[in-house]
Structures are given as structure tokens and as C-alpha cells.
Amino acid sequence: MARVRKGAGRPAPLRVLHVAAEWFPLVKTGGLADVVAALPAAQRAAGLDARLLLPAYPALRQALAGATEVARIGAAFGAARVALLRGTLPGSDVPTYLIDAPWLYDRPGNPYLGPDGQEWADTLQRFGLLGWTGAQLAAGGLDPDWAPAVVHAHDWHAALVPVYLAARGTAGTHARTVLTVHNLAYQGRFALERFGELGLPAWMAGPAGIEFHGTLRLLKGGLMFADRITTVSPTYAREILGPAEGHELDDVLRHRADRLTGIVNGIDDAVWNPAADPAIAAPYDATDLAGKAACKLALQRELGLAQVAGAPLLGVISRLTPQKGLDLLLSTLPQWLGAGGQVALVGSGDPALEHAWRAAAQAAPDAVGVRIGYDEALAHRVVAGSDLIGVPSRFEPCGLTQLYGLRYGSLPVVHRVGGLADTVVDADEEALREDRATGFAFAGASPEALARALRHALDGWHHPAAWKRVQRRAMAQDTSWRAPAARYAALYAEALAGP
Ligand code: ADP
């Protein structure tokens, strides 16, 4: 009798390798880390063989369980000893490759800056090695047991993966490449004289390669050579084709517009779940919001705000950079406070903005609570305890905090751009009538437009029944990774089938 092999007939799962510079929670400076942790996990849950490639920063190297050496690479990019390890990271079932290169990665600080806040002098080598290793793995040259069919590179840090693969030419089979741009403002810019450090063919030092206006621009190289380009929302995908948001690369992007798609990020619904969030004062869900009121009082207490249930509390969790538009909020603060509003802000970044927000808190300590720094647990408490989440970004590729706001019934107040436009439905009359409204959106990055949106929110706040309806609609949105993971899977299939 013929023996039936277990699983015979089922197609082998699609092998995809994500290459990135950050991983939540151990190495995170922004939303990129969340995506890099959650998307491969969601893909595995959907049946793909998704894996990760990251630099062996100390926090990751120490946390890697079951580490085995899959390749000894030797000397590369100025490091005397480079090896490729494979294991898993805590709380994750995603097989993870770490590039063990102590000379380049075993140091304090974050992926881009030293503890003194200065950029690393050898950033080019650090991410040159990341891109090169991604390409070698993709070409089947490093792990004898595994090679991806699709290699998915994230941001400029990994943008050299398609470049190194293109440098190999068409000889041999290799993976298809997808490059996701999480924020076009960051492009990996270096002096052209350093081209030699990358070991790429000479022609790539020209306009057909990674040169751009007399400098190296790693992201531009990735945009030239990736088989598919994605960014993190459909609206941002359109915006970056024009000069206003194209950050000089709009021309390059227009040439590749037929390969560009926008896919909105999800959020990790296990980490961001008001019904089971260990960081918050009381759990709640859409059917019973009593816990949310307790979260608000606890947050007001924690930040030294007046404990008034009726005062609308606007939460902000953000990097403090001009992109995020929090200077607009500072300008409208007197009106918001004058109307009885409160603000809870956790953030860090530009010293001038940090100073201005500290000063705002000092001027009105019972209405403005500010914590300068990076605090994951406090971020959860701010999302849960606030009535509104403010995201007045000048531009926003996707944005995650408005998604947290939706999930926690804290209505987003957003500038209608990028992913903010794609994820928040303004509570105008029509949307309210059709029960589609999930927040408040304004057009134009001006203090006046933001002030109007806040007045609109205040109106809503004074109509509790309507407010609750919008809250429930917001909480009913699918902000999980399921739909985006399926969209990426469809894109991979298209990349494998198409040119
Ligand atoms: P960006 O990646 O541009 O910073 P996103 O909204 O996509 O913006 O992602 C920001 C992520 O970083 C969110 O997960 C947010 O909660 C988190 N975050 C930003 N600043 C802080 C902070 N000071 N403390 C805790 N979390 C923060």
C-alpha cells in the first residue's frame, strides 16, 4: 500500500525574510520596530515561513534563545569576525538570524546614535553589512537549510539588499525583493567618497545606482532595484509621488510608480488590547467602558492633573520632531485649556520642543501633564486614560498611535494626511448619520485648523450618547495585522509571478 506522506499535496509555505534595523520591544526608536516584530508573526500565523534578519545588537544577542551558528563569514565591512546566528527572540516564534559582528554592533546606544546622541561614524558599514548579508541569505549562500523566495527589506537601513542582489546580476536564481518605506524623510545619506566601503561594482556609484545629487542615498538604490515597493498607507503612496512629500525622491518614485503600493500597518492586538493590558489601571471593552473611566482618573492622578471626569483629556505619545506637529498643539493650547481641556504627553526628541512642553506643564500643572522620555508602559496608560489621542503630524506615512486610540476608544484628532487620512473618519454630519465616524480630522497643518478640530471634538464631548456611539465604532475597527498580512501575501505572489 502506498504510504501517504504527512502534508503531501499541500504547497510548501512561502519563505519570506524580513530585513530590518529595529525589533520591538528590545530595540525600538519608532513604529518600524512594532511592524518588524508583528508582521512576520502575523505571517507565520497565516501559514507563511517568515523569518527575520537583524544586527546582533547587545540586547538582541543576549536575548537570542537556542542560538546556533549557521555561517562563519569572516572579515567584512571593517569587522574582523562576522558570523550568522539563528535562534528565536523572547515571546516570538519567528526564526531570527542575527549578524554577529561585535566590532560593528556590540556597543551601547541605539541603532543610529551613540549614548552621546551623536550619529555613529560607521553607520554606512553597519547597514552595509546588513544589506549585504540579507542579499547573501536571499541568494542561498549562507544557510544551507533555508533561503527565502521573497526578501522584504524595511527602510533605508535594509535598502541595500536589492542593490547587492542587482549587483550579482541575473546569474543564478535568487529571491524577489520588496522594499517598504516607513518614512521617506530618512534616506541613508553618505558622502560619495565612501562608496568604496560597500564593495559594489563601480557603475553603481553613478545615477543608475545609489548616487543621488552627488551623495550616496541608500534608499534611492533600494527604490531603483526592488521588484516591489510598498509604503505604509495608500494616501502616503500617492503623496510621495509629488514634490511636496517626495523628499527629493519623487522623480525616482514616479519612474517606479507601477511597482508602488500602500498597505496600512496593523497593530499587535495582543500588546494593544484594553481588555487584557497589564499596564493599565482597569480592563475594559466596547460593551463596558467603566474601566476606561478608572484609567482616566488613574492617569490624571499619575500626572498630577485635576481629577475631573468631565474634563476632556487629550493624550499624545510621540517623538518630538517638527514632523509630528506638536508645535501646532502648543499654539492652540490656551484655547483648549480655556475650554476646560487637559493634555497628557509622553515624548522625547528636539530639545527646544521638550523645553516648550515642559514649560507648558509648569505653567498649568493641573491641566498639562508632560513626561519627557521613552516609556512604553506610560504610553499604554496615556492611550487608555485619554478621551482623545492627538496626532497633528505635518506628514504621517501611517502612524500607529491613532490606531491605538481607535482600539482603546480614545478618539483620534488627526491631520488628514497619509495613514491618518486612511484610518480615521471625521465625525462630520454625514459620517455621524451613517455611523461611520471614528474621530476628528482637519485639513491643513495650521494651529487654526487644529483648533477647529478640537472645538469640534469638544462639541462631541458634550453629547455623551453620540460620543459613545463614535467610541464604539472606533473600537470596532479591525486594526489588527490580519488584513495587512493578507495584502502583503498577495503582493509577494504578484512579485513572484510578475516582472
Ligand atoms: P514614528 O515611527 O514616526 O515615530 P509611529 O506613530 O508610526 O511614529 O510610531 C511611534 C511608536 O513609538 C508608537 O508605538 C508609539 O507608541 C511609540 N512611542 C513614541 N514615542 C514614545 C515615547 N516617548 N514613549 C513610549 N512610546 C513611544
Side-chain angles (χ1 to χ4, degrees):
M1 195 173 86
R3 289 209 298 161
V4 178
R5 208 157 36 89
K6 204 172 157 216
R10 246 184 264 149
L14 180 71
R15 300 177 312 282
V16 51
L17 177 71
H18 291 268
V19 184
E22 300 190 22
W23 186 81
F24 172 86
L26 295 177
V27 181
K28 165 165 168 171
T29 76
L32 170 68
D34 302 71
V35 175
V36 171
L39 175 58
Q43 291 178 329
R44 287 190 81 80
L48 273 63
D49 180 4
R51 302 189 180 195
L52 254 174
L53 172 68
L54 299 159
Y57 311 115
L60 299 182
R61 177 69 192 86
Q62 281 152 28
L64 192 74
T68 53
E69 188 177 280
V70 293
R72 203 163 284 182
I73 294 167
F77 293 85
R81 184 171 67 73
V82 179
L84 188 66
L85 310 176
R86 190 185 56 223
T88 52
L89 291 168
S92 166
D93 66 348
V94 177
T96 299
Y97 297 94
L98 293 186
I99 307 167
D100 191 23
W103 176 256
L104 290 173
Y105 303 134
D106 185 11
R107 53 176 86 157
N110 79 27
Y112 324 110
L113 308 175
D116 57 359
Q118 297 298 309
E119 277 179 28
W120 297 116
D122 56 359
T123 295
L124 184 61
Q125 284 110 322
R126 281 157 62 84
F127 295 124
L129 178 59
L130 179 64
W132 180 87
T133 309
Q136 293 301 308
L137 244 177
L142 286 181
D143 185 344
D145 298 326
W146 194 83
V150 173
V151 55
H152 189 156
H154 296 268
D155 270 349
W156 68 265
H157 327 116
L160 287 177
V161 174
V163 176
Y164 279 110
L165 282 170
R168 295 170 66 97
T170 48
T173 54
H174 63 65
R176 309 296 284 171
T177 53
V178 175
L179 173 65
T180 294
V181 179
H182 295 263
N183 190 335
L184 193 64
Y186 302 97
Q187 301 181 355
R189 196 187 289 226
F190 300 90
L192 190 57
E193 298 75 64
R194 298 188 59 184
F195 178 78
E197 294 170 33
L198 294 173
L200 286 164
W203 67 269
M204 282 194 166
I210 62 174
E211 184 269 349
F212 192 66
H213 294 311
T215 61
L216 300 179
R217 226 47 98 82
L218 304 196
L219 186 66
K220 181 251 179 179
L223 295 176
M224 299 279 286
F225 297 110
D227 294 310
R228 290 292 181 282
I229 300 165
T230 78
T231 187
V232 285
S233 66
T235 296
Y236 192 61
R238 283 192 301 278
E239 289 169 347
I240 58 180
L241 294 177
E245 296 304 335
H247 294 276
E248 301 181 333
L249 289 178
D250 47 303
D251 202 27
V252 176
L253 282 160
R254 277 195 303 276
H255 277 103
R256 306 228 59 215
D258 60 328
R259 305 296 180 93
L260 172 67
T261 350
I263 299 177
V264 171
N265 287 330
I267 57 177
D268 189 328
D269 51 8
V271 175
W272 293 95
N273 175 9
D277 185 334
I280 67 177
Y284 63 91
D285 61 27
T287 61
D288 181 2
L289 290 164
K292 185 162 180 61
C295 289
K296 176 172 176 177
L297 284 176
L299 179 65
Q300 287 172 322
R301 197 175 318 119
E302 177 175 0
L303 297 181
L305 303 175
Q307 295 194 37
V308 184
L313 175 49
L314 175 70
V316 176
I317 302 118
S318 187
R319 292 186 291 121
L320 299 178
T321 65
Q323 177 197 338
K324 298 295 179 177
L326 295 165
D327 52 315
L328 306 177
L329 183 55
L330 276 171
S331 303
T332 57
L333 204 56
Q335 285 161 273
W336 177 245
L337 302 184
Q342 298 182 335
V343 174
L345 177 143
V346 53
S348 63
D350 289 0
L353 276 168
E354 290 184 353
H355 177 80
W357 274 101
R358 274 206 188 95
Q362 267 158 19
D366 57 354
V368 181
V370 169
R371 291 289 180 273
I372 298 299
Y374 192 92
D375 187 335
E376 198 73 40
L378 178 59
H380 282 247
R381 294 196 291 277
V382 169
V383 173
S386 297
D387 302 300
L388 297 156
I389 292 293
V391 198
S393 307
R394 289 191 163 77
F395 69 93
E396 193 57 81
C398 177
L400 294 177
T401 57
Q402 86 280 9
L403 300 178
Y404 305 154
L406 291 172
R407 181 117 162 94
Y408 281 67
S410 315
L411 305 185
V413 181
V414 304
H415 184 202
R416 196 184 286 127
V417 290
L420 302 172
D422 292 336
T423 56
V424 177
V425 179
D426 181 56
D428 61 19
E429 271 175 37
E430 190 185 321
L432 283 172
R433 209 171 39 244
E434 294 170 359
D435 194 17
R436 290 186 294 111
T438 58
F440 306 92
F442 61 96
S446 70
E448 295 73 31
L450 172 58
R452 268 196 302 280
L454 287 172
R455 272 201 303 278
H456 187 192
L458 205 63
D459 268 0
W461 176 249
H462 292 305
H463 293 87
W467 184 273
K468 273 222 167 75
R469 243 191 340 270
V470 178
Q471 258 184 325
R472 296 219 159 92
R473 173 58 50 207
M475 294 176 85
Q477 301 302 300
D478 181 6
T479 49
S480 78
W481 270 105
R482 278 178 292 279
R487 286 200 191 102
Y488 279 113
L491 183 82
Y492 298 159
E494 186 195 304
L496 286 164

